[in-house]
Amino acid sequence: DRILQAVNGGASSLSFVGSGFIVLCYLLFKELRKFSFKLVFYLALSDMLCSFFSIIGDPSQGFFCYAQGYTTHFFCVASFLWTTTIAFTLHRTVVRHKTDVEDLESMFHLYVWGTSLVMTVIRSIGNDHGLGVWCWEQRGQTGKVVHFITFYVPLWGAILFNGFTYFQVIRMLNNATRMAVGMSERGYQLDARADMKALNRWGYYPLILIGSWAFGTINRVHDFIEPGHKIFWLSVLDVGMAALMGLFNSIAYGLNSSVRRAIYERLDLFPEKLRRWFPCSKSRGQQESELVSL
């Protein structure tokens, strides 16, 4: 339990810092307040709160244990639901050529926060917190089933949705880029290939959720089949990787070239070695291609 506490606290702290950094950038830099990055801001905010509440729970303290269980569940569900809104926005903009995504913001909020609240309320069925160090889990057999249904089922549904959506977006953009390369001069071809490389990174986004929750899913299934037998290394990977989700999201979604450029412009007083981490060689149009300018 002490080791799991240390793993959870350390990993959640890294996620809290990473997602908090993205939230701070959005609040400080006005040039980042576009609709595409606003979704990333909501994602980082959910990750930050999920990480914060993951740290404060203790099974020996009834109130704080319940606080960790419910708030962690709510904001972690909200986190992966916000990734589906980003995927949906890219698909609607790139594949369907719609320009009304900003009008859907209120629907996104209703979908994310409403679904998270419903899943959290349903989770109270068969509630029996306090399994080891991780208050988010439940001990009763009914509670384990409800936990799996209200978290892991929508989680893997989001993973499948994101994977299918990004596959369609990347395939369409790759085909369009190849056509443009074939019909354009060499100078544009180099830019198009660089853009294609940036677009292909979207294919890794669904892997963040898979990497964060694969061990947790395996551990839940194993605990349901053999409740009296715990696998220590699997529990460590479960707690550690799940707690790092906020850090992974902040790096993949938030720390793009637009953010690096905004920071670079404010680093004139810093040493040159530090400024090299924030290259500013791309044009504004190329930078915005990482998340399609809406």
Side-chain angles (χ1 to χ4, degrees):
D1 285 353
R2 292 175 183 173
I3 294 176
L4 291 178
Q5 279 184 341
V7 170
N8 176 53
S12 297
S13 298
L14 291 175
S15 291
F16 181 82
V17 172
S19 53
F21 175 77
I22 301 303
V23 170
L24 188 63
C25 287
Y26 178 83
L27 296 177
L28 292 179
F29 306 147
K30 293 183 179 180
E31 61 267 33
L32 296 178
R33 297 176 190 173
K34 301 174 183 178
F35 181 74
S36 56
F37 199 79
K38 185 184 292 187
L39 298 179
V40 177
F41 163 72
Y42 294 134
L43 169 62
L45 182 63
S46 298
D47 282 329
M48 185 178 70
L49 294 173
C50 176
S51 300
F52 173 76
F53 288 111
S54 294
I55 299 173
I56 65 172
D58 188 336
S60 64
Q61 301 173 352
F63 173 78
F64 288 105
C65 192
Y66 279 97
Q68 186 201 61
Y70 286 117
T71 53
T72 301
H73 191 92
F74 178 87
F75 288 110
C76 284
V77 171
S79 174
F80 67 71
L81 290 181
W82 278 117
T83 67
T84 63
T85 66
I86 295 174
F88 174 84
T89 299
L90 288 172
H91 184 272
R92 189 171 181 83
T93 305
V94 176
V95 179
R96 301 187 62 187
H97 308 292
K98 301 291 185 178
T99 59
D100 60 346
V101 285
E102 293 190 44
D103 299 332
L104 300 176
E105 183 178 354
S106 59
M107 295 299 297
F108 287 164
H109 283 287
L110 180 62
Y111 155 67
V112 173
W113 304 123
T115 303
S116 301
L117 180 61
V118 170
M119 293 296 103
T120 304
V121 171
I122 295 176
R123 184 178 179 272
S124 64
I125 301 174
N127 196 355
D128 188 9
H129 288 294
L131 180 62
V133 69
W134 197 236
C135 283
W136 184 51
E137 297 180 9
Q138 293 177 318
R139 290 181 294 187
Q141 202 74 351
T142 302
K144 292 177 182 178
V145 174
V146 173
H147 183 200
F148 194 88
I149 293 174
T150 58
F151 186 85
Y152 288 96
V153 171
L155 167 68
W156 285 96
I159 291 173
L160 293 175
F161 173 81
N162 288 353
F164 178 74
T165 301
Y166 282 118
F167 172 77
Q168 286 192 317
V169 171
I170 293 171
R171 182 179 63 177
M172 180 172 182
L173 289 175
N174 281 341
N175 291 337
T177 303
R178 290 192 187 98
M179 292 178 61
V181 167
M183 295 184 296
S184 303
E185 58 185 19
R186 181 173 179 80
Y188 177 80
Q189 291 178 15
L190 295 176
D191 292 340
R193 287 168 183 164
D195 289 343
M196 185 183 296
K197 185 177 180 181
L199 297 176
N200 285 334
R201 286 202 294 269
W202 289 343
Y204 295 105
Y205 288 175
L207 297 180
I208 295 175
L209 290 178
I210 296 175
S212 297
W213 296 105
F215 294 108
T217 305
I218 296 172
N219 203 20
R220 295 295 83 71
V221 174
H222 175 268
D223 183 55
F224 184 78
I225 297 174
E226 298 186 38
H229 177 62
K230 298 294 181 183
I231 302 177
F232 174 69
W233 64 267
L234 184 59
S235 297
V236 172
L237 291 174
D238 172 11
V239 173
M241 295 301 293
L244 286 173
M245 180 182 66
L247 179 64
F248 296 150
N249 283 336
S250 63
I251 294 174
Y253 289 94
L255 200 59
N256 54 43
S257 57
S258 297
V259 176
R260 295 197 301 269
R261 181 178 182 273
I263 298 174
Y264 182 89
E265 292 175 348
R266 293 161 175 82
L267 289 179
D268 293 337
L269 300 179
F270 285 79
E272 182 64 25
K273 291 183 178 180
L274 180 60
R275 296 174 64 184
R276 290 176 183 174
W277 288 93
F278 303 93
C280 191
S281 58
K282 296 181 181 180
S283 66
R284 182 180 297 271
Q286 288 176 304
Q287 291 165 357
E288 291 175 348
S289 69
E290 291 192 7
L291 262 179
V292 176
S293 179
L294 304 179

